[in-house]
Amino acid sequence: MSDMSFALTDEQKALKAAVSDLCKQYPAQYWRDLDTRREYPDAFVNELTKAGYLAVLIPHEYGGAGLGIMEAALILEEINRSGGNAGACHAQMYIMGTVLRHGSEAQKRQYLPKLATGELRLQAFGVTEPNAGSDTTKLQTTAVRAGDRYVVNGQKMFISRVLQSDLMLLLARTTPVDQVKRKTDGLSVFLVDIRDLKGLEVRPLRMMMNHSTNALFFDNMEIPADSLIGQEGKGFSYILDGMNAERVLVASDSLGDGRWFIEKAVAYASQRVIFGKPIGANQGVQFPIARAHMAVEAADLMRTKAAKLFDAGLPCGPEANMAKFLAAEAAIEAGNACIDCHGGYGFAEEYDVERKFRESRLYRAAPINNNLIMAFVGEHVLGMPRSY
Ligand SMILES: Cc1cc2nc3c(=O)[nH]c(=O)nc-3n(C[C@H](O)[C@H](O)[C@H](O)COP(=O)(O)OP(=O)(O)OC[C@H]3O[C@@H](n4cnc5c(N)ncnc54)[C@H](O)[C@@H]3O)c2cc1C
């Protein structure tokens, strides 16, 4: 690829500035209050949608801005850098990619323009199950064809934003595992309209952070057969196709968190005077912040490389995975440095550091655990034996 410049274009700088302006209307108190009540940032997400930011990846012909993953990444990064939590809305950006790449023309025309205007929300992605976490091929939820319907039975775990979505992308087994050649065959993806859907029970879970996460129970849940995306049985590969985008975008959430921690730590360490001088003059305080800053900057380079490859239509699996890993770890390092330099105040709700720490901690474990990324790099990048 010819252009590997890491400088942002003027348009990208303007985009970041505009998102930053929007975020200023939703200050720390807004996110803190929602966190306390474990409520969804409806007003923020609605405004972001109205401004078109959640539709940047939707092509012009379906009502979106037709921009690249780099622009989407900058939007999410800026939300987290400003103190907000893009986890409330990042999924729509990568979930709708499955509809875009594998949906029929009729499905794209039916859903994408409404997602772009905000008339419909697609924030829910139902994959994880109690007995199928990292090993997606072990999914036990079944979707059985019955005339013009599929009948869904089973259970999902940790499915976020279901109560704030109109639509959910659902992965279920349509052919029993003992009847397929490879265990990755026989899984199918459905775009399910979950509004007033009979047979669906949603049980909210109180998690470490405000993430609108639920356990789902499907009891003979009937969905129209035309909810199927693409070909029956090919769902696993469709989900894999969306992984690079997901990795780059989640890495961007983490980069934003990392930058927020560094800015907050630098400001506090520079003004807090103990033993007659600012605590930031002590290397024990300063060096962890400097080290974390370097980790964030390095992760940014990998994220940007992955995004540029993605936008150029080139393979970017290793880079996207490494970006997600490095950014999540850098954010945790920055979070630790930020908590430490704040002393007791790092644990006080009103400083927001503990909230951001809880929010950023998630991305070591989800949407994919960093262990599985190391397994991917070990096996697929370095050619070592498969570990699972
Ligand atoms: C707040 C939150 C929101 C979420 N939202 C969603 C959502 O919207 N939709 C959705 O589908 N899922 C969601 N998830 C689920 C998340 O993607 C899973 O938790 C994750 O994929 C891991 O699955 P698991 O929790 O069952 O862990 P497990 O797969 O049981 O793994 C447990 C631990 O063992 C490690 N491990 C397992 N196998 C190996 C191996 N071979 N080598 C090394 N280490 C291994 C894992 O890395 C992990 O550390 C969410 C989770 C959380 C916490």
Side-chain angles (χ1 to χ4, degrees), residues 68-91:
I69 202 83
M70 189 65 209
E71 282 74 20
L74 292 174
I75 291 167
L76 298 181
E77 179 183 338
E78 197 53 37
I79 293 169
N80 280 24
R81 195 206 58 79
S82 76
N85 184 5
C89 51
H90 61 189

PDB file of all heavy atoms in Angstrom, residues 68-91:
ATOM      1  N   GLY A  68     -14.851   5.638   5.965  1.00  0.00           N
ATOM      2  CA  GLY A  68     -14.090   4.420   6.246  1.00  0.00           C
ATOM      3  C   GLY A  68     -14.074   4.056   7.720  1.00  0.00           C
ATOM      4  O   GLY A  68     -14.607   4.778   8.576  1.00  0.00           O
ATOM      5  N   ILE A  69     -13.401   2.925   8.002  1.00  0.00           N
ATOM      6  CA  ILE A  69     -13.298   2.462   9.392  1.00  0.00           C
ATOM      7  C   ILE A  69     -12.454   3.451  10.203  1.00  0.00           C
ATOM      8  O   ILE A  69     -12.651   3.604  11.408  1.00  0.00           O
ATOM      9  CB  ILE A  69     -12.707   1.034   9.450  1.00  0.00           C
ATOM     10  CG1 ILE A  69     -13.084   0.337  10.757  1.00  0.00           C
ATOM     11  CG2 ILE A  69     -11.197   1.018   9.303  1.00  0.00           C
ATOM     12  CD1 ILE A  69     -14.405  -0.276  10.759  1.00  0.00           C
ATOM     13  N   MET A  70     -11.512   4.141   9.547  1.00  0.00           N
ATOM     14  CA  MET A  70     -10.670   5.103  10.273  1.00  0.00           C
ATOM     15  C   MET A  70     -11.541   6.215  10.859  1.00  0.00           C
ATOM     16  O   MET A  70     -11.342   6.630  12.009  1.00  0.00           O
ATOM     17  CB  MET A  70      -9.618   5.677   9.311  1.00  0.00           C
ATOM     18  CG  MET A  70      -8.567   6.519  10.000  1.00  0.00           C
ATOM     19  SD  MET A  70      -7.538   5.543  11.138  1.00  0.00           S
ATOM     20  CE  MET A  70      -7.090   6.780  12.324  1.00  0.00           C
ATOM     21  N   GLU A  71     -12.509   6.686  10.087  1.00  0.00           N
ATOM     22  CA  GLU A  71     -13.378   7.759  10.589  1.00  0.00           C
ATOM     23  C   GLU A  71     -14.245   7.239  11.744  1.00  0.00           C
ATOM     24  O   GLU A  71     -14.408   7.916  12.763  1.00  0.00           O
ATOM     25  CB  GLU A  71     -14.279   8.302   9.465  1.00  0.00           C
ATOM     26  CG  GLU A  71     -13.576   9.253   8.507  1.00  0.00           C
ATOM     27  CD  GLU A  71     -12.613   8.569   7.541  1.00  0.00           C
ATOM     28  OE1 GLU A  71     -12.740   7.343   7.329  1.00  0.00           O
ATOM     29  OE2 GLU A  71     -11.727   9.258   7.009  1.00  0.00           O
ATOM     30  N   ALA A  72     -14.779   6.019  11.557  1.00  0.00           N
ATOM     31  CA  ALA A  72     -15.592   5.434  12.636  1.00  0.00           C
ATOM     32  C   ALA A  72     -14.739   5.286  13.904  1.00  0.00           C
ATOM     33  O   ALA A  72     -15.197   5.571  15.017  1.00  0.00           O
ATOM     34  CB  ALA A  72     -16.134   4.073  12.195  1.00  0.00           C
ATOM     35  N   ALA A  73     -13.492   4.866  13.716  1.00  0.00           N
ATOM     36  CA  ALA A  73     -12.588   4.669  14.851  1.00  0.00           C
ATOM     37  C   ALA A  73     -12.335   5.990  15.575  1.00  0.00           C
ATOM     38  O   ALA A  73     -12.331   6.050  16.813  1.00  0.00           O
ATOM     39  CB  ALA A  73     -11.268   4.079  14.349  1.00  0.00           C
ATOM     40  N   LEU A  74     -12.140   7.046  14.817  1.00  0.00           N
ATOM     41  CA  LEU A  74     -11.863   8.349  15.439  1.00  0.00           C
ATOM     42  C   LEU A  74     -13.062   8.849  16.239  1.00  0.00           C
ATOM     43  O   LEU A  74     -12.906   9.474  17.294  1.00  0.00           O
ATOM     44  CB  LEU A  74     -11.488   9.372  14.358  1.00  0.00           C
ATOM     45  CG  LEU A  74     -10.139   9.119  13.666  1.00  0.00           C
ATOM     46  CD1 LEU A  74      -9.942  10.101  12.506  1.00  0.00           C
ATOM     47  CD2 LEU A  74      -8.973   9.221  14.651  1.00  0.00           C
ATOM     48  N   ILE A  75     -14.256   8.559  15.744  1.00  0.00           N
ATOM     49  CA  ILE A  75     -15.468   8.983  16.469  1.00  0.00           C
ATOM     50  C   ILE A  75     -15.526   8.291  17.838  1.00  0.00           C
ATOM     51  O   ILE A  75     -15.707   8.935  18.879  1.00  0.00           O
ATOM     52  CB  ILE A  75     -16.733   8.658  15.634  1.00  0.00           C
ATOM     53  CG1 ILE A  75     -16.785   9.561  14.397  1.00  0.00           C
ATOM     54  CG2 ILE A  75     -17.998   8.797  16.475  1.00  0.00           C
ATOM     55  CD1 ILE A  75     -17.802   9.136  13.355  1.00  0.00           C
ATOM     56  N   LEU A  76     -15.328   6.972  17.827  1.00  0.00           N
ATOM     57  CA  LEU A  76     -15.406   6.228  19.101  1.00  0.00           C
ATOM     58  C   LEU A  76     -14.281   6.647  20.045  1.00  0.00           C
ATOM     59  O   LEU A  76     -14.489   6.819  21.250  1.00  0.00           O
ATOM     60  CB  LEU A  76     -15.355   4.720  18.832  1.00  0.00           C
ATOM     61  CG  LEU A  76     -16.504   4.163  17.983  1.00  0.00           C
ATOM     62  CD1 LEU A  76     -16.351   2.653  17.794  1.00  0.00           C
ATOM     63  CD2 LEU A  76     -17.869   4.472  18.602  1.00  0.00           C
ATOM     64  N   GLU A  77     -13.094   6.808  19.487  1.00  0.00           N
ATOM     65  CA  GLU A  77     -11.954   7.224  20.324  1.00  0.00           C
ATOM     66  C   GLU A  77     -12.260   8.567  20.992  1.00  0.00           C
ATOM     67  O   GLU A  77     -12.006   8.750  22.185  1.00  0.00           O
ATOM     68  CB  GLU A  77     -10.690   7.333  19.468  1.00  0.00           C
ATOM     69  CG  GLU A  77      -9.483   7.781  20.276  1.00  0.00           C
ATOM     70  CD  GLU A  77      -8.225   7.968  19.429  1.00  0.00           C
ATOM     71  OE1 GLU A  77      -8.135   7.376  18.334  1.00  0.00           O
ATOM     72  OE2 GLU A  77      -7.343   8.724  19.874  1.00  0.00           O
ATOM     73  N   GLU A  78     -12.815   9.470  20.224  1.00  0.00           N
ATOM     74  CA  GLU A  78     -13.071  10.811  20.750  1.00  0.00           C
ATOM     75  C   GLU A  78     -14.131  10.786  21.865  1.00  0.00           C
ATOM     76  O   GLU A  78     -14.032  11.532  22.838  1.00  0.00           O
ATOM     77  CB  GLU A  78     -13.509  11.734  19.601  1.00  0.00           C
ATOM     78  CG  GLU A  78     -13.423  13.206  19.887  1.00  0.00           C
ATOM     79  CD  GLU A  78     -12.048  13.667  20.381  1.00  0.00           C
ATOM     80  OE1 GLU A  78     -11.017  13.148  19.898  1.00  0.00           O
ATOM     81  OE2 GLU A  78     -12.003  14.534  21.271  1.00  0.00           O
ATOM     82  N   ILE A  79     -15.126   9.913  21.706  1.00  0.00           N
ATOM     83  CA  ILE A  79     -16.163   9.806  22.751  1.00  0.00           C
ATOM     84  C   ILE A  79     -15.505   9.376  24.073  1.00  0.00           C
ATOM     85  O   ILE A  79     -15.736   9.972  25.123  1.00  0.00           O
ATOM     86  CB  ILE A  79     -17.258   8.786  22.346  1.00  0.00           C
ATOM     87  CG1 ILE A  79     -18.047   9.308  21.141  1.00  0.00           C
ATOM     88  CG2 ILE A  79     -18.194   8.504  23.524  1.00  0.00           C
ATOM     89  CD1 ILE A  79     -18.966   8.271  20.508  1.00  0.00           C
ATOM     90  N   ASN A  80     -14.664   8.345  24.007  1.00  0.00           N
ATOM     91  CA  ASN A  80     -14.035   7.865  25.248  1.00  0.00           C
ATOM     92  C   ASN A  80     -12.976   8.831  25.764  1.00  0.00           C
ATOM     93  O   ASN A  80     -12.807   8.987  26.963  1.00  0.00           O
ATOM     94  CB  ASN A  80     -13.456   6.467  25.041  1.00  0.00           C
ATOM     95  CG  ASN A  80     -14.545   5.414  25.121  1.00  0.00           C
ATOM     96  OD1 ASN A  80     -15.713   5.718  24.886  1.00  0.00           O
ATOM     97  ND2 ASN A  80     -14.194   4.194  25.454  1.00  0.00           N
ATOM     98  N   ARG A  81     -12.277   9.489  24.854  1.00  0.00           N
ATOM     99  CA  ARG A  81     -11.272  10.457  25.294  1.00  0.00           C
ATOM    100  C   ARG A  81     -11.923  11.626  26.034  1.00  0.00           C
ATOM    101  O   ARG A  81     -11.355  12.232  26.933  1.00  0.00           O
ATOM    102  CB  ARG A  81     -10.469  10.992  24.102  1.00  0.00           C
ATOM    103  CG  ARG A  81      -9.191  11.718  24.507  1.00  0.00           C
ATOM    104  CD  ARG A  81      -8.745  12.736  23.480  1.00  0.00           C
ATOM    105  NE  ARG A  81      -9.763  13.743  23.221  1.00  0.00           N
ATOM    106  CZ  ARG A  81     -10.025  14.783  24.003  1.00  0.00           C
ATOM    107  NH1 ARG A  81      -9.339  14.974  25.094  1.00  0.00           N
ATOM    108  NH2 ARG A  81     -10.985  15.639  23.704  1.00  0.00           N
ATOM    109  N   SER A  82     -13.167  11.914  25.659  1.00  0.00           N
ATOM    110  CA  SER A  82     -13.846  13.047  26.288  1.00  0.00           C
ATOM    111  C   SER A  82     -14.455  12.664  27.643  1.00  0.00           C
ATOM    112  O   SER A  82     -15.036  13.517  28.314  1.00  0.00           O
ATOM    113  CB  SER A  82     -14.947  13.567  25.369  1.00  0.00           C
ATOM    114  OG  SER A  82     -16.047  12.685  25.432  1.00  0.00           O
ATOM    115  N   GLY A  83     -14.372  11.381  28.003  1.00  0.00           N
ATOM    116  CA  GLY A  83     -14.921  10.961  29.297  1.00  0.00           C
ATOM    117  C   GLY A  83     -16.204  10.160  29.187  1.00  0.00           C
ATOM    118  O   GLY A  83     -16.736   9.683  30.183  1.00  0.00           O
ATOM    119  N   GLY A  84     -16.717  10.004  27.970  1.00  0.00           N
ATOM    120  CA  GLY A  84     -17.942   9.226  27.767  1.00  0.00           C
ATOM    121  C   GLY A  84     -17.640   7.751  27.580  1.00  0.00           C
ATOM    122  O   GLY A  84     -16.515   7.298  27.786  1.00  0.00           O
ATOM    123  N   ASN A  85     -18.673   7.015  27.173  1.00  0.00           N
ATOM    124  CA  ASN A  85     -18.527   5.566  27.011  1.00  0.00           C
ATOM    125  C   ASN A  85     -19.145   5.122  25.685  1.00  0.00           C
ATOM    126  O   ASN A  85     -20.353   4.918  25.583  1.00  0.00           O
ATOM    127  CB  ASN A  85     -19.200   4.847  28.179  1.00  0.00           C
ATOM    128  CG  ASN A  85     -18.990   3.346  28.118  1.00  0.00           C
ATOM    129  OD1 ASN A  85     -18.260   2.838  27.254  1.00  0.00           O
ATOM    130  ND2 ASN A  85     -19.625   2.640  29.030  1.00  0.00           N
ATOM    131  N   ALA A  86     -18.271   4.960  24.675  1.00  0.00           N
ATOM    132  CA  ALA A  86     -18.762   4.581  23.342  1.00  0.00           C
ATOM    133  C   ALA A  86     -19.311   3.161  23.311  1.00  0.00           C
ATOM    134  O   ALA A  86     -19.964   2.768  22.346  1.00  0.00           O
ATOM    135  CB  ALA A  86     -17.639   4.728  22.320  1.00  0.00           C
ATOM    136  N   GLY A  87     -19.053   2.396  24.380  1.00  0.00           N
ATOM    137  CA  GLY A  87     -19.595   1.037  24.461  1.00  0.00           C
ATOM    138  C   GLY A  87     -21.109   1.019  24.346  1.00  0.00           C
ATOM    139  O   GLY A  87     -21.705  -0.003  24.015  1.00  0.00           O
ATOM    140  N   ALA A  88     -21.740   2.149  24.601  1.00  0.00           N
ATOM    141  CA  ALA A  88     -23.199   2.216  24.500  1.00  0.00           C
ATOM    142  C   ALA A  88     -23.679   2.146  23.058  1.00  0.00           C
ATOM    143  O   ALA A  88     -24.848   1.849  22.806  1.00  0.00           O
ATOM    144  CB  ALA A  88     -23.695   3.508  25.147  1.00  0.00           C
ATOM    145  N   CYS A  89     -22.792   2.429  22.122  1.00  0.00           N
ATOM    146  CA  CYS A  89     -23.265   2.525  20.737  1.00  0.00           C
ATOM    147  C   CYS A  89     -22.292   1.995  19.691  1.00  0.00           C
ATOM    148  O   CYS A  89     -22.611   1.994  18.503  1.00  0.00           O
ATOM    149  CB  CYS A  89     -23.632   3.969  20.415  1.00  0.00           C
ATOM    150  SG  CYS A  89     -22.314   5.126  20.835  1.00  0.00           S
ATOM    151  N   HIS A  90     -21.118   1.504  20.118  1.00  0.00           N
ATOM    152  CA  HIS A  90     -20.132   1.088  19.108  1.00  0.00           C
ATOM    153  C   HIS A  90     -20.594  -0.101  18.272  1.00  0.00           C
ATOM    154  O   HIS A  90     -20.220  -0.237  17.118  1.00  0.00           O
ATOM    155  CB  HIS A  90     -18.764   0.795  19.756  1.00  0.00           C
ATOM    156  CG  HIS A  90     -18.742  -0.298  20.778  1.00  0.00           C
ATOM    157  ND1 HIS A  90     -17.647  -0.554  21.571  1.00  0.00           N
ATOM    158  CD2 HIS A  90     -19.674  -1.214  21.142  1.00  0.00           C
ATOM    159  CE1 HIS A  90     -17.894  -1.570  22.372  1.00  0.00           C
ATOM    160  NE2 HIS A  90     -19.114  -1.986  22.127  1.00  0.00           N
ATOM    161  N   ALA A  91     -21.440  -0.954  18.889  1.00  0.00           N
ATOM    162  CA  ALA A  91     -21.773  -2.213  18.213  1.00  0.00           C
ATOM    163  C   ALA A  91     -22.525  -1.989  16.902  1.00  0.00           C
ATOM    164  O   ALA A  91     -22.333  -2.722  15.937  1.00  0.00           O
ATOM    165  CB  ALA A  91     -22.585  -3.099  19.135  1.00  0.00           C
TER     166      ALA A  91
END
